[in-house]
Every structure is written in structure tokens, then in C-alpha cells.
Amino acid sequence: MKINIYYGGRGLIDDPTIAVINRMTAVLEELRVNVERFNLYEMKSNIMSLPQSLKEADAVILASTVEWFGFGGFMHTFLDACWLYGDKNKIAGTYMFPIVMSKAYGEREAMLELTNAWEMLGGKACNGLCAYVDDTSDFELNSGYMELVEKKAEEVYRAVSQKFITLPTSNKAIKQNIVGDIIDLTPQETEQLSKYASDDEYVKKQKEDVKELASMFKSMLEEQEKGGDEHYTAALKSHFVPQNGFRATYLLKIDGKDDSLIIEIKGQDLDCYFGQIEHADVIGKLSVGVLDEILEGRMTFQRAFMSGDMTAKGNFKTLRMLDENFVFV
């Protein structure tokens, strides 16, 4: 028989929950039970992968301490991980015994929350142990209290070894109604996902990728609202101020676009389009945001080049003529 203890407190010296699980561990080990303890406060970066530790367990003890309101955040995070990445079939056959000690108000409510959470996961919740403890030393030295803790440990052993039957609850029915919102993954896939979720570098990279994609889609949406590529060619054509006898071809590479913006000026004639050409008098590169600022009159081509927001190669006198041929102010 194997029982896992998940301790959700902060590991304080005077935490009465530690005294309780230490005594229970001693009793269970005397009964030849393999007990493994997980201190969640020491495993903050790996909590998301902890549901995989349930695989070999016949039962679990969820132990936490009420310090001011409800059980702590470490236990909440662990239960969230069980919901997202735990093997629901394995949890369904696993007994859970809640242990909640309190130095404030609310030990009964916290124990009920643990029970409800485990039943929502589909597991078998059994009677637990809760108490208000004002002084941990007095509590631990009280033989009557410790006898009750030992009896609870024996009760845990009997319940698991004899496979006590638990009655159905509405929490399990609710779980079945909302479980459709969870992606149906194999145990191997959920295990891999939990490892990714506990990898800070991976999570950071994923957040950066999502932010980059969101920014890209936002830019695309804004561009579509403006009229797409035609917006840029139309703006250039409407602000074209021809210079007598001037002829030049410009190729502007815009970040995020496959085709370049081609501007062909032949005296009084202007041709603007998106595409590719082999030769141009000036080849420039800029972002969509910089181009928008130029077209809205908040920036000039020359100023963008001088500030480094636009790079260019070719005849720089020809580059300066862009602001002569296109006036946006």
C-alpha cells in the first residue's frame, strides 16, 4: 500500500499540521505502509507536474493550515494541476483524506473545500481531521489529541486496505457535466503537458510567442480596417506632388509583408503597387508602424532614415526626393 501526503502549508516550525502528519506517518509506517511526503512550498516550480505522482498511490492525504482565510495557495495550485493534467481515471479510484489544522477561523470550511475539490476531480473523499490549535506545543504534548490522530491514521489504513465504498455525490455529477470543456488527452499527453507547464523557461517562451502572435494579428486587423495594401498605395497617390523631370524607382520592404511597396515616378506619372522588381534607385526597409506615421504626417521619410527607424541604400539625394514628391502635412 502506498499513501502520498501533500502538505500545503508554509513549513513553519509551529505549524500544527506538520505535527499531525508526522504522527500519522509514524503510525502508517508501523503498519508497513509506504508513505511519501511532498512539501508543496519546496516544489513551487514543479507543482504542475506533481499530479503524475498520483499514479502509484492508493490514497492521498491533503494536509494544509488555515492561517487567516482558507487553505493556502500552494494547495490550490496543486488541485488546479490535478484538474488540468491529472489522470482522471486514476484519481477516480484514489481515496483522499483531508487534514486541516487552523490557527484562525475556518478549519471546517477549509476541510469541506478540500473534500468538494477532490470529489469534483472524481476521486473518493473520506472523513478527515480538522482542529483549531492555539498553541502547537500544548497540542502536540496532549496525549488525548495525539491518540485521536493515531486512530485517524489507523482508520485511513483500514479504509484503503478494505476498499471502503463511498456513496455518490452531486459533485461528481457536476464534474461529468463540465468535463467536456477539458481537452481529451491521453495520460502520456497530459504528463508531457504538465512537464511543459512546470518549465519556467518554456512557459516564458510560450507567453512571448502568444504576445507576438497577438500583436501580429492586431496589426493585421488594423490594416484590414484601413483597407489593406490599397490603403498605402491610395495614400501615396492622393498626396503625390510631381516634380518636373524627376524620375526614380523606390522599393520599400515592409516588415511582415511578403511583397515590397514599389513606387515608380516618371515626371508627372506615378505607379504604386505591391510586388517585386530586380532593380531600384533606392531600396528601403521599415516597419508598418513607421510607414503609418509617415502617411499620417507625423514623420517624414528623411527623418525616419536619420533616426534609424528606416534603413536605405542607394542614391541618398533620390531618397530625399521622397519627401518632395509626397507631402503629407
Side-chain angles (χ1 to χ4, degrees):
M1 182 190 301
K2 186 173 190 297
I3 295 178
N4 289 352
I5 298 178
Y6 298 91
Y7 168 63
R10 294 190 294 147
L12 302 177
I13 295 176
D14 64 341
D15 189 342
T17 305
I18 294 178
V20 171
I21 58 180
N22 283 343
R23 182 60 64 92
M24 293 186 70
T25 299
V27 173
L28 290 170
E29 288 179 342
E30 287 179 5
L31 295 170
R32 300 183 183 279
V33 175
N34 179 13
V35 180
E36 186 173 4
R37 178 165 152 185
F38 299 86
N39 294 325
L40 302 184
Y41 70 93
E42 296 176 340
M43 313 176 74
K44 289 182 282 189
S45 61
N46 296 319
I47 288 181
M48 285 300 170
S49 63
L50 276 183
Q52 306 310 318
S53 64
L54 296 170
K55 289 183 176 180
E56 305 300 325
D58 299 297
V60 299
I61 293 174
L62 300 185
S64 194
T65 307
V66 177
E67 294 183 7
W68 74 282
F69 185 79
F71 56 88
F74 296 132
M75 186 63 72
H76 275 288
T77 303
F78 171 68
L79 291 170
D80 283 345
C82 289
W83 175 256
L84 293 170
Y85 308 116
D87 184 342
K88 302 302 189 298
N89 292 328
K90 179 64 181 71
I91 293 175
T94 304
Y95 294 93
M96 188 281 292
F97 300 86
I99 303 295
V100 179
M101 296 294 110
S102 174
K103 299 180 77 68
Y105 170 80
E107 69 279 1
R108 295 179 185 276
E109 289 78 4
M111 188 172 71
L112 180 60
E113 285 184 18
L114 286 175
T115 298
N116 289 338
W118 194 255
E119 289 178 344
M120 287 280 283
L121 288 168
K124 301 177 180 180
C126 302
N127 292 331
L129 190 67
C130 69
Y132 168 77
V133 179
D134 183 41
D135 188 302
T136 302
S137 299
D138 291 343
F139 177 79
E140 194 171 2
L141 294 174
N142 188 304
S143 60
Y145 293 159
M146 288 300 105
E147 185 178 347
L148 289 175
V149 173
E150 291 171 0
K151 287 183 178 179
K152 174 56 66 175
E154 294 170 359
E155 181 184 323
V156 170
Y157 175 78
R158 286 194 299 271
V160 180
S161 61
Q162 297 176 18
K163 300 187 183 301
F164 279 7
I165 297 175
T166 58
L167 293 172
T169 66
S170 59
N171 288 333
K172 292 185 179 180
I174 295 296
K175 176 253 182 183
Q176 291 172 357
N177 289 336
I178 66 175
V179 76
D181 296 335
I182 303 299
I183 300 174
D184 188 17
L185 300 173
T186 65
Q188 292 78 12
E189 289 172 331
T190 55
E191 180 175 1
Q192 191 65 45
L193 276 175
S194 68
K195 289 179 180 178
Y196 285 146
S198 63
D199 186 337
D200 290 339
E201 289 299 321
Y202 176 81
V203 173
K204 183 179 179 182
K205 180 66 168 59
Q206 290 297 300
K207 288 181 178 178
E208 289 174 353
D209 290 345
V210 170
K211 185 177 180 180
E212 184 178 344
L213 284 172
S215 177
M216 182 183 72
F217 284 122
K218 181 181 179 181
S219 298
M220 291 173 61
L221 183 60
E222 290 175 349
E223 187 176 320
Q224 288 179 357
E225 290 176 349
K226 292 175 182 176
D229 291 346
E230 293 182 1
H231 159 71
Y232 300 109
T233 56
L236 288 168
K237 291 176 180 178
S238 63
H239 291 80
F240 178 52
V241 180
Q243 305 297 310
N244 291 331
F246 180 75
R247 301 170 66 91
T249 301
Y250 300 88
L251 184 150
L252 299 181
K253 297 179 180 179
I254 304 172
D255 293 343
K257 288 185 176 293
D258 295 329
D259 290 328
S260 300
L261 176 57
I262 311 300
I263 304 172
E264 295 180 345
I265 303 173
K266 300 175 183 177
Q268 301 293 318
D269 299 325
L270 171 67
D271 192 8
C272 285
Y273 60 92
F274 279 86
Q276 299 293 339
I277 57 174
E278 293 185 4
H279 302 289
D281 298 299
V282 174
I283 297 176
K285 185 176 181 181
L286 70 170
S287 67
V288 172
V290 172
L291 182 57
D292 284 339
E293 288 194 16
I294 293 173
L295 299 184
E296 292 168 8
R298 299 197 301 271
M299 176 85 75
T300 63
F301 286 103
Q302 182 65 19
R303 196 189 313 162
F305 174 71
M306 296 299 291
S307 63
D309 291 326
M310 172 181 170
T311 59
K313 62 180 181 179
N315 190 312
F316 293 123
K317 182 178 179 181
T318 305
L319 173 62
R320 289 197 298 270
M321 289 299 295
L322 272 173
D323 292 321
E324 299 291 331
N325 283 274
F326 300 98
V327 181
F328 295 97
V329 292

